[in-house]
Amino acid sequence: MTNTPTAQIGVTGLATMGRNLARNIARHGYVTAVHNRTESKTKALVGEFGHEGTFVPAATAEEFVASLTVPRTIIIMVKAGAPTDAVIDELAPLLEEGDILVDGGNAHFADTRRREVALRERGIHFAGVGISGGEEGALLGPSIMPGGSEHAYAKLGPILADIAVDVDGTPCSTHVGPDGAGHFVKMVHNGIEYADMQLIAEAYDLLRHGLGWTPERLAEVFESWNSGDLESFLIEITARVLRAGDPSQPERPLVDVIVDEAEQKGTGRWTVQTALDLGTPVSGIAEAVFARALSGSAAQRRAAQGVLPGPAEVPAVGEPGGEEGAGGFVDAADAESFVEDVRAALYASKVVAYAQGFDMIRAGSVEYGWGIDPGAMATIWRGGCIIRARFLDRIREAYEKQPDLPSLLVDPYFAGAVAAGQEAWRRVVVQSVQSGIPAPGFSSALAYYDGLRRERSSAALVQGLRDLFGAHTYRRVDRPGSFHIDWSGDLSESQFS
Ligand SMILES: NC(=O)C1=CN([C@@H]2O[C@H](COP(=O)(O)OP(=O)(O)OC[C@H]3O[C@@H](n4cnc5c(N)ncnc54)[C@H](OP(=O)(O)O)[C@@H]3O)[C@@H](O)[C@H]2O)C=CC1
Ligand SMILES: O=C(CO)[C@H](O)[C@H](O)COP(=O)(O)O
């Protein structure tokens, strides 16, 4: 099979994401070259969906590159890490100066920076592009976070805007910034995704054990929440999962037969690792990553069961999957107000998680000189991606009004919304502690909120301790400079600068 150069764009890597992305591109009228390491996937795509557009199948990397018009645009959609390097190593020698190579996978932004430099030396434009929306989004319109040079974006931008989902006439794709900026923002997106899911899971856990309601009844609660401030894709699919029955025994809730150990591919962990380097407290994302790790610590969990007691005075909780009204720690008469408290706690904690994520985007942008516009990120996350949510429009507005907003939490709308729910939030955290139902996302978000708003923090004592054991010095509230106490002598103070 020898291809003449007719294809406007190529996609290599035709698994879940690449296959649907290629279909999306072809459906928009682009002649699309398709290639996969294992050729059967290429044949399957063209055999099943060839009628949707003009595909140019290629059996080898050489045929694939030869089928593209010059300068070439190629999107790589393979497993992140070593597989991406392997594909780049195979393609790069076949490319020419001016060609554009796009990595649409979930790459670590540091890898993207490294690859961009290496390929730039060969005259190839490398663009790291974050794509979110899963299988369905890739086909019907994802949210796209393109990084890379202005030059690459000039050619790539219109294609990505065509295939991205549209919200209120605006495509959910915009140039994020140079080199690793797109993958950095995608990484933080996924970190927020972790935090959001953890908070939803905590809300479910508290409601389930607090009220003793069935998952099906709780699905109704989440459905009702989805018509208010919490409206989002994740709340919508929570209702779907809770409503689902076990396919092999439909009267049993699916959620009760799924092993309670959350897995992870790594983007949440990368977010936290990077946040530690940047010094940005993304406690909501960190709690979510650690909660997944704890859930997966099967041996320790087994060892602790029946050994570590819980609170003695808590009434018996209905068996998971038991009858409605089997009993929880909340009095039946208080059920409605408990549901409303949990909703308020979820919303406030979610605002904190997003505020922390946006802080991290700003910190990364400053560190790497990317010039990322946070409001533009909120705009492209309004549709297509996993964290799409009604309140992202509010976040967009907040940054439009004040681009240098110090924290989303001090925007008047969000400050008011969180203040309105804070008493309920505190009640829920107290209740979780008293009942022994862990809610690390809710409680750490509340601790962050209190840490942010208090005039004086406990860190003054930490500084005093550091000065005592290590002469690390401290600053004073009443005059500039660094100071140290002669702790082993006469307790006199000396000034260092
Ligand atoms: N699945 C999702 O919901 C999302 C995934 N992503 C990201 O998109 C990318 C693609 O994801 P997905 O479609 O799920 O596929 P996978 O991450 O499961 O990767 C499978 C693809 O990678 C190819 N591949 C693996 N190793 C190599 C190699 N050494 N050389 C060449 N090709 C290789 C496979 O080829 P072969 O068929 O020959 O094995 C196949 O095409 C990933 O980076 C993922 O993180 C982003 C957003 C959402
Ligand atoms: O990128 C995504 C969505 O935007 C994926 O859904 C994400 O990679 C899932 O991550 P994990 O398996 O770690 O939960």
Side-chain angles (χ1 to χ4, degrees):
M1 178 160 59
T2 309
N3 290 325
T4 48
T6 56
Q8 295 160 285
I9 185 163
V11 178
T12 181
L14 302 174
T16 311
M17 289 296 284
R19 183 179 74 144
N20 277 0
L21 201 73
R23 289 172 63 198
N24 183 354
I25 295 168
R27 284 175 174 196
H28 278 86
Y30 296 96
V31 179
T32 309
V34 284
H35 169 259
N36 192 69
R37 177 180 63 173
T38 309
E39 198 194 354
S40 55
K41 283 203 178 83
T42 314
K43 287 186 169 158
L45 164 59
V46 177
E48 215 176 327
F49 304 108
H51 60 280
E52 292 182 352
T54 309
F55 293 99
V56 184
T60 64
E62 288 77 7
E63 279 179 18
F64 178 58
V65 170
S67 70
L68 287 151
T69 56
V70 178
R72 303 171 183 88
T73 303
I74 294 175
I75 303 182
I76 302 169
M77 287 304 294
V78 303
K79 255 187 218 314
T84 305
D85 280 318
V87 172
I88 293 173
D89 289 346
E90 189 178 19
L91 290 177
L94 307 171
L95 300 179
E96 292 170 62
E97 242 177 68
D99 287 347
I100 298 170
L101 199 50
V102 177
D103 176 15
N106 275 338
H108 194 296
F109 75 96
D111 284 340
T112 303
R113 284 166 64 79
R114 167 178 60 77
R115 291 168 184 149
E116 199 270 338
V117 170
L119 288 162
R120 190 167 3 116
E121 281 167 9
R122 305 167 78 149
I124 297 164
H125 301 278
F126 183 72
V129 173
I131 300 179
S132 179
E135 187 172 11
E136 191 179 290
L139 181 64
L140 303 177
S143 168
I144 308 182
M145 294 145 255
S149 68
E150 292 283 355
H151 176 92
Y153 188 71
K155 176 148 189 227
L156 211 51
I159 305 172
L160 299 181
D162 271 355
I163 64 164
V165 75
D166 217 87
V167 174
D168 300 336
T170 305
C172 290
S173 173
T174 193
H175 190 209
V176 176
D179 60 80
H183 276 142
F184 182 90
V185 165
K186 175 69 203 305
M187 175 186 76
V188 177
H189 164 285
N190 282 21
I192 294 173
E193 177 183 302
Y194 274 54
D196 209 340
M197 286 196 285
Q198 174 63 24
L199 295 170
I200 288 172
E202 289 176 18
Y204 154 74
D205 207 10
L206 285 162
L207 291 175
R208 182 93 192 260
H209 293 273
L211 302 168
W213 288 0
T214 61
E216 199 171 6
R217 182 152 181 207
L218 292 176
E220 287 168 25
V221 172
F222 280 91
E223 270 159 11
S224 73
W225 287 356
N226 203 36
S227 50
D229 283 341
L230 280 169
E231 182 187 321
S232 61
F233 173 68
L234 286 171
I235 294 285
E236 180 193 321
I237 64 171
T238 299
R240 284 180 57 194
V241 173
L242 291 178
R243 199 175 281 290
D246 173 7
S248 50
Q249 205 179 315
E251 66 282 2
R252 203 163 49 168
L254 177 67
V255 72
D256 287 346
V257 296
I258 296 178
V259 172
D260 58 351
E261 296 172 22
E263 294 171 15
Q264 49 185 313
K265 295 209 182 84
T267 45
R269 189 176 63 243
W270 295 346
T271 312
V272 178
Q273 287 167 338
T274 307
L276 290 173
D277 290 338
L278 292 170
T280 316
V282 290
S283 51
I285 302 171
E287 290 296 352
V289 173
F290 287 134
R292 287 196 193 191
L294 178 60
S295 78
S297 303
Q300 286 95 332
R301 287 178 60 196
R302 263 197 310 275
Q305 280 158 35
V307 174
L308 304 180
E313 68 281 8
V314 177
V317 170
E319 278 295 299
E323 288 306 304
E324 192 173 331
F329 56 79
V330 174
D331 202 87
D334 298 328
E336 209 175 304
S337 56
F338 183 63
V339 170
E340 176 48 26
D341 275 3
V342 173
R343 190 205 61 77
L346 175 55
Y347 186 67
S349 304
K350 182 171 160 137
V351 172
V352 168
Y354 280 67
Q356 294 176 342
F358 275 89
D359 283 350
M360 180 164 174
I361 288 176
R362 184 184 40 217
S365 180
V366 169
E367 174 73 18
Y368 297 103
W370 285 327
I372 299 174
D373 170 3
M377 299 307 103
T379 304
I380 63 170
W381 286 350
R382 290 180 308 162
C385 62
I386 305 299
I387 64 168
R388 61 186 182 263
R390 181 204 278 204
F391 91 145
L392 278 158
D393 221 21
R394 296 282 192 184
I395 298 181
R396 177 189 61 78
E397 281 170 15
Y399 282 112
E400 253 172 35
K401 266 188 290 171
Q402 194 181 338
D404 62 346
L405 194 62
S407 163
L408 209 50
L409 284 161
V410 303
D411 166 75
Y413 171 78
F414 286 111
V418 172
Q422 65 140 334
E423 295 300 343
W425 193 7
R426 292 181 195 285
R427 280 193 296 273
V428 170
V429 169
V430 167
Q431 207 133 23
S432 81
V433 172
Q434 284 178 338
S435 58
I437 308 284
F442 282 5
S443 50
S444 87
L446 183 55
Y448 177 89
Y449 171 83
D450 283 331
L452 206 59
R453 71 172 183 83
R454 286 181 76 214
E455 211 170 312
R456 287 277 294 161
S457 83
S458 56
L461 179 57
V462 172
Q463 285 296 83
L465 298 172
R466 290 179 68 245
D467 189 57
L468 189 150
F469 66 66
H472 293 298
T473 76
Y474 56 89
R475 286 177 293 126
R476 295 182 56 99
V477 295
D478 52 358
R479 39 183 211 275
S482 291
F483 299 86
H484 169 63
I485 298 282
D486 180 9
W487 293 103
S488 52
D490 63 359
L491 297 183
S492 62
E493 184 180 66
S494 28
Q495 181 167 357
F496 287 92
S497 58

